[in-house]
Amino acid sequence: MNILLTGGAGFIGRWVVKRLLGDGHDVWILDDLSNGREANIEEFHGHSGLKAFVKGSILDEQLLGELFSRNRFDICYHLGASINVQDSIDEPRTTFNNDTLGTFYVLEQCRKYNVKIVFMSTCMVYDRCMDEEGITEVHPIKPASPYAGSKIAAENMVLSYYFAYKLPAVVIRPFNTYGPFQKTGGEGGVVAIFIKNKLAGKTLNIYGEGTQTRDLLYVEDCARFVTEAGYSGRVDGEIVNAGLGRDIAINDLAELIVGDKSRIAHVEHIHPQSEIHKLLCNFDKARLLLGWKPAVSLEEGIRRTEDWIRGTDLI
């Protein structure tokens, strides 16, 4: 198939590219590199299936129109977005424009050319988990940040195109994804940041009390979920979760990574109003409709991520 991947130079996008190329598809990447890095996809340059890397914005309607008219895509995996919660609180306009308005522009092209859209949303749209059954797709939502609010707005537009125009469309909500190629700075994920600080001999700082939990999904499991959502018509018109199905308190995660409580410290939370105290994924729907389930344990995923960080110049 001919596939457009927005945000393809990002952390998750990079792994989706790898999987799509491995499955034999022709791939076009659109990324403005505001969050992604061209180095993430450097190994794919020269691959016969990577047809183009286009540095550009999903807010550029003319560019989108040219891409869609010239290439007749079968699927658009729409991962391009502003993803930083604190940035969305500090400057909500940028997040709204990228995550909501940008999604509308992509949707309009998908509608014009009848291209299936797989929209990458987030578990941050949910309210806290209240039991050990985990968060299902009908769990209450709570837009506790402009990032979550912008994603919910975009989700609703995506699903409206399915119902109003019969456009093949699916909303996917991966839980906290981590692994190789994730940034290790302040805008990165907690696993990557903790591992980097461990290897650098630094303290692992935890926001707040550290009792908040996360369901951590290894990136290759996430990429497999993303691609399968595009291949299957069974999830069209649906919202689908993906996660490990196991949550861990940040305190316990830090100890698992560093193995030394004396190297763990607690600091004031930078955005307590948007904190979700318990995140635990119920991925029964993905298992039922896609036959998907995670394959990499948390411990194995941490080991692989640490091995990758050790082998880079990120320490």
Side-chain angles (χ1 to χ4, degrees), residues 86-147:
Q86 187 61 46
D87 286 351
S88 81
I89 293 171
D90 294 339
E91 177 39 57
R93 182 184 298 273
T94 299
T95 298
F96 175 81
N97 284 341
N98 287 330
D99 295 10
T100 308
L101 192 58
T103 299
F104 169 70
Y105 291 155
V106 172
L107 272 169
E108 279 292 272
Q109 294 299 322
C110 289
R111 177 168 74 97
K112 184 175 182 179
Y113 296 101
N114 195 37
V115 177
K116 176 168 180 174
I117 184 169
V118 178
F119 175 64
M120 171 76 81
S121 189
T122 171
C123 65
M124 296 299 289
V125 303
Y126 286 120
D127 200 353
R128 64 180 293 176
C129 181
M130 301 302 292
D131 57 48
E132 294 305 317
E133 294 299 312
I135 293 172
T136 70
E137 292 79 2
V138 297
H139 187 83
I141 57 174
K142 180 184 177 181
S145 66
Y147 167 61

Side-chain angles (χ1 to χ4, degrees), residues 1 3 19-20 23 25 75 77 116 227-233:
M1 292 184 286
I3 293 174
R19 189 152 194 99
L20 291 172
D23 287 345
H25 303 298
I75 304 174
Y77 290 93
K116 176 168 180 174
T227 55
E228 292 294 333
Y231 298 164
S232 174

Side-chain angles (χ1 to χ4, degrees), residues 6 25 49 111 134 141 145 148 157 160 175 212 233 274:
T6 72
H25 303 298
R111 177 168 74 97
I141 57 174
S145 66
M157 285 302 298
S160 79
F175 277 59
Q212 64 270 37
S274 62

Side-chain angles (χ1 to χ4, degrees), residues 5-175:
L5 175 59
T6 72
F11 160 51
I12 298 175
R14 181 257 176 216
W15 288 99
V16 174
V17 172
K18 182 179 178 68
R19 189 152 194 99
L20 291 172
L21 293 176
D23 287 345
H25 303 298
D26 290 338
V27 179
W28 285 253
I29 297 171
L30 175 63
D31 200 306
D32 66 2
L33 301 181
S34 60
N35 187 56
R37 297 175 291 192
E38 196 164 359
N40 286 348
I41 55 172
E42 187 174 359
E43 70 179 87
F44 308 126
H45 289 312
H47 192 293
S48 61
L50 183 57
K51 297 305 180 182
F53 166 71
V54 180
K55 184 181 178 183
S57 172
I58 56 175
L59 296 174
D60 186 339
E61 289 188 271
Q62 181 177 344
L63 175 59
L64 285 173
E66 291 171 359
L67 278 170
F68 274 82
S69 65
R70 290 175 182 171
N71 299 301
R72 300 296 173 172
F73 300 118
D74 298 290
I75 304 174
C76 173
Y77 290 93
H78 179 35
L79 277 60
S82 294
I83 61 172
N84 189 285
V85 172
Q86 187 61 46
D87 286 351
S88 81
I89 293 171
D90 294 339
E91 177 39 57
R93 182 184 298 273
T94 299
T95 298
F96 175 81
N97 284 341
N98 287 330
D99 295 10
T100 308
L101 192 58
T103 299
F104 169 70
Y105 291 155
V106 172
L107 272 169
E108 279 292 272
Q109 294 299 322
C110 289
R111 177 168 74 97
K112 184 175 182 179
Y113 296 101
N114 195 37
V115 177
K116 176 168 180 174
I117 184 169
V118 178
F119 175 64
M120 171 76 81
S121 189
T122 171
C123 65
M124 296 299 289
V125 303
Y126 286 120
D127 200 353
R128 64 180 293 176
C129 181
M130 301 302 292
D131 57 48
E132 294 305 317
E133 294 299 312
I135 293 172
T136 70
E137 292 79 2
V138 297
H139 187 83
I141 57 174
K142 180 184 177 181
S145 66
Y147 167 61
S150 297
K151 282 293 192 179
I152 291 170
E155 285 186 359
N156 285 331
M157 285 302 298
V158 169
L159 292 175
S160 79
Y161 275 54
Y162 172 79
F163 292 113
Y165 306 114
K166 294 182 171 56
L167 180 74
V170 56
V171 170
I172 54 175
R173 292 175 177 167
F175 277 59

